[in-house]
Each structure stands twice: as structure tokens, then as C-alpha cells.
Amino acid sequence: MDTILGIKTIIAVVEAGSFTAAGDRLSISKALVSKYVGIVEEQLGVRLFNRSTRKISITEAGKNYYERVVPLFDDYSELVDNLAEHETSPRGQLRISAPVTFGESNLAPLLPELINRYPDLSVDLHLSDKIIDMLEEGIDLVIRIGGVDDSNLIARKITSFPLIMCASPAYLEAHGHPTNAQELEQHTTIIDSNFRIGFNWPLMNKDGEPSVAHVKSHISANSPRAVKEVVLASGGIGLIPEFVIEEQLRSGELVRVMGSHKTLEFGMFAIYPHRKFVPRKVRAMVDFLIEKFR
């Protein structure tokens, strides 16, 4: 067995937490992971993991091995990457995690162009609105819309997406157009439960004066796309990220409400582990995102 493959396997098991998850991360079977770990342990003459029928746990020797070998593996990967940089394009599998709505509507349509540009690259796209553990899941790059709290990660801001208050023409014809926070409070709104603001919508008028509308609602959803569909059905006024409703605003299916006021905007971030070496495939993807969205 190749020494580098053994090192990669140990790192994957430690970070993923199990032979099965490490196998998924490396695209090999659980049995092969177990075999590779056994070979490394035999070569070193120490036990790196304690096994039971239900779980594994890392030994003290395993912790020491992992802590010492990760920077060595990063240095090796950086060396190989730098030597090949002027000879080949980014290559290998790039595992990306992105929010469901953004991933489906905005990111997925761009992937064919990415692969045409970098034919030696493959993309494994995971869509989830939950916060994930990048190391445990074996994710190379996370695209997040909103805040970034983990100081162990590098967050590169790509762009910002404003939230837009909007409604259907039929709803506005029936209920009128609000012009300030007090009038907005008399309308029915649709709440996106992903937002921490809840029923308190912050506003700022064209003169920079802030206010808060304490809105009322009978419908909430944890998906901006679902909120959009309720608003399209004349269910009320929604506060929706601009990228979700661009097409409907252009077609006139939705109308911007209180256009002279601003509300929140969310940053779009590309996030990757805080390590000295950033793989070229990750750097290429970040540059691609900046080109397409900034």
C-alpha cells in the first residue's frame, strides 16, 4: 500500500469519526479502510484506534500521529500542487456544500461551465440548510449565506444579497401598498423562520432613519422558495432574498413593496478549513464564484 494513501486514510478516519464515514469520504469500502488502517498500524507497531462492535476511538498514539502527520500531508499536497500548477488544470473531486434553494437555483446551473473550464475536475454537490462539520463530512468548500461563527474556518466574502419586501399584484390591489412601518404592520406577512428577526422587520428609509415593523403572520416556512410560493399565491407580503425572486420581479409576477426602504442583506461566503495549504481545486472554485457573483 502506498504510504500517502495510508496517511490519507488515517486522517479521514480521525476527522470523519468512523471507518464507514471515512470510506464515503475516500470513495472506498469500509473493509478497505479497515485494511489500510491495519497496515499502517502494523508498519508503525502501535495501535492507532480502539475498535469495538459499535464504535472506534482514537488512542493516544493515534492522536500524536494525526497531529504530526496533518501538517506533513499538507506540505506534501502543496508541493505536488505547486509543481503541477503550470502543467495541469485543477483536478480531482471537489465536494461542495451549499444551501438548498441557492444551490438548486443559482449554483447548479453554473456547474457545467465550471467543468468545461476545468475538465479534470469533478463536483459532488451536497445541498443542506443545516450547519455541517466540514472535516467530519469531508467537505472541501462550504457556501453559506448569512453569518460565519467558526473561527477555525476561513471565510471569503463573495457578495451580498439584499432581502426584498414583495407581494403579488393581486394582493396589493386588494389590500393597498404600505409606505411605512406602521402601515406595514396592518398587512399580512409571510415569515421565513430561518431569519432570527422573526416578526420584527428592521427598515431604513431613504434618509437613513431606522424603524422596526412588528408584523403579523399566519404562515411561516423555513424555506425562502416556499415563502415565495405563498407570496405568489397572494398570501401576503414576504421578505425574500433577491436571488430567489429575480425572475418574478422582472416578469411582474411579484412587485417590490416599500422600494424606498432598505432592510437586511446577507453576505455570501466561501468557507474552507483553516489550514496553511488550500488545494488548487478550492482556490479555482472560489475564483469562479467571485467571477460569477461579485
Side-chain angles (χ1 to χ4, degrees):
M1 179 192 65
D2 182 86
T3 300
I4 297 300
L5 180 56
I7 291 173
K8 286 177 64 176
T9 303
I10 300 300
I11 291 174
V13 173
V14 174
E15 294 181 347
S18 72
F19 287 179
T20 301
D24 292 341
R25 178 168 167 175
L26 298 172
S27 299
I28 60 177
S29 68
K30 175 185 175 182
L32 206 50
V33 171
S34 180
K35 177 182 177 181
Y36 290 164
V37 170
I39 293 174
V40 173
E41 290 179 326
E42 184 177 346
Q43 291 173 340
L44 297 174
V46 295
R47 181 172 289 275
L48 302 177
F49 301 97
N50 292 316
R51 287 88 147 172
S52 69
T53 55
R54 293 186 177 180
K55 64 178 182 178
I56 65 167
S57 60
I58 190 169
T59 64
E60 190 65 31
K63 290 179 182 178
N64 291 334
Y65 179 88
Y66 172 78
E67 290 171 359
R68 297 290 294 273
V69 84
V70 165
L72 292 175
F73 182 72
D74 278 352
D75 286 343
Y76 170 79
S77 300
E78 184 176 15
L79 172 64
V80 172
D81 211 35
N82 287 339
L83 289 175
E85 185 153 8
H86 301 294
E87 303 296 331
T88 62
S89 65
R91 62 176 58 244
Q93 185 182 69
L94 180 65
R95 291 168 60 88
I96 303 173
S97 174
V100 175
T101 298
F102 176 80
E104 290 177 345
S105 61
N106 294 73
L107 182 60
L110 295 176
L111 295 182
E113 180 179 348
L114 177 72
I115 298 305
N116 285 335
R117 186 177 302 185
Y118 304 118
D120 295 323
L121 196 65
S122 64
V123 175
D124 185 8
L125 180 60
H126 294 252
L127 299 182
S128 174
D129 293 325
K130 297 180 180 179
I131 302 299
I132 66 164
D133 186 317
M134 293 187 67
L135 295 181
E136 183 177 329
E137 300 289 337
I139 298 296
D140 298 302
L141 184 70
V142 170
I143 298 171
R144 188 171 297 165
I145 297 175
V148 180
D149 302 324
D150 194 336
S151 61
N152 294 317
L153 302 173
I154 297 173
R156 178 83 179 271
K157 188 172 184 180
I158 304 299
T159 189
S160 294
F161 293 119
L163 296 179
I164 304 295
M165 285 185 291
C166 60
S168 70
Y171 174 87
L172 293 173
E173 183 177 349
H175 301 278
H177 291 253
T179 59
N180 54 47
Q182 291 72 31
E183 292 180 7
L184 181 60
E185 291 173 353
Q186 306 307 310
H187 284 259
T188 297
T189 60
I190 313 304
I191 299 296
D192 188 328
S193 54
N194 290 308
F195 303 160
R196 295 177 183 177
I197 57 174
F199 293 83
N200 303 306
W201 289 7
L203 304 170
M204 182 175 293
N205 66 19
K206 61 182 179 181
D207 297 320
E209 298 171 342
S211 59
V212 176
H214 305 288
V215 299
K216 59 184 179 180
S217 176
H218 298 289
I219 301 175
S220 65
N222 66 342
S223 161
R225 181 172 289 177
V227 172
K228 178 186 74 173
E229 294 301 326
V230 177
V231 173
L232 282 169
S234 301
I237 296 173
L239 187 59
I240 307 174
E242 185 179 40
F243 71 85
V244 178
I245 56 172
E246 286 176 318
E247 182 178 337
Q248 287 72 29
L249 289 174
R250 283 195 298 267
S251 68
E253 294 175 272
L254 292 177
V255 177
R256 187 164 183 162
V257 173
M258 293 173 58
S260 61
H261 287 69
K262 292 183 179 180
T263 182
L264 297 177
E265 64 177 31
F266 288 151
M268 171 186 168
F269 296 90
I271 302 170
Y272 43 95
H274 204 304
R275 287 180 172 169
K276 181 178 70 172
F277 168 63
V278 179
R280 192 149 45 99
K281 61 185 179 181
V282 173
R283 287 185 277 131
M285 185 64 194
V286 172
D287 290 342
F288 182 77
L289 291 171
I290 291 171
E291 174 189 329
K292 294 301 176 183
F293 291 103
R294 177 161 288 177

